[in-house]
Amino acid sequence: MELIYAALTLSEADKEINEENLQDIVDAAGLDVEDSEIAALVAALEDVDIQEAMETAVAGGAAAPAASADDAEEEAEEEEEEEDEDDDASEEEAAAGLGNMF
């Protein structure tokens, strides 16, 4: 995540996002980041226009609010009920299949 922030900082400062500039930020911040991580980020961002991506993200609006604990509990209960119904139906089908064998 630190490298993403570093890349955003470079972009905001209109600096090129390259290994040397990212390493300078990592060093200045005293972070422990592998050279391979820096190289991977530079490669991943090679064809990305960060400013455009940021505008698109902002234009898309805020993320949906996280579900409350009550909502999560209700969903879990509903899923459990559906699984129970599926199990009952499967047992009935299996019993009917066994009955046809005799």
Side-chain angles (χ1 to χ4, degrees):
M1 199 62 165
E2 303 91 4
L3 290 177
I4 300 296
Y5 292 136
L8 289 172
T9 300
L10 288 171
S11 176
E12 189 64 30
D14 291 327
K15 304 285 183 184
E16 183 180 356
I17 299 171
N18 59 33
E19 291 180 40
E20 182 181 338
N21 288 345
L22 284 171
Q23 188 64 53
D24 288 345
I25 291 176
V26 166
D27 291 343
L31 301 171
D32 183 28
V33 177
E34 299 289 325
D35 292 340
S36 61
E37 293 176 278
I38 293 173
L41 180 64
V42 170
L45 293 176
E46 188 172 322
D47 295 326
V48 175
D49 181 349
I50 291 180
Q51 294 301 322
E52 182 181 323
M54 293 293 291
E55 289 171 9
T56 302
V58 171
S68 69
D70 291 339
D71 292 340
E73 187 177 323
E74 286 177 20
E75 284 183 32
E77 288 175 6
E78 288 175 8
E79 288 177 12
E80 188 175 312
E81 287 174 11
E82 288 175 7
E83 288 175 8
D84 288 343
E85 290 172 6
D86 290 343
D87 288 344
D88 291 343
S90 296
E91 288 174 9
E92 289 173 10
E93 291 172 4
L98 287 174
N100 290 334
M101 290 177 57
F102 298 104

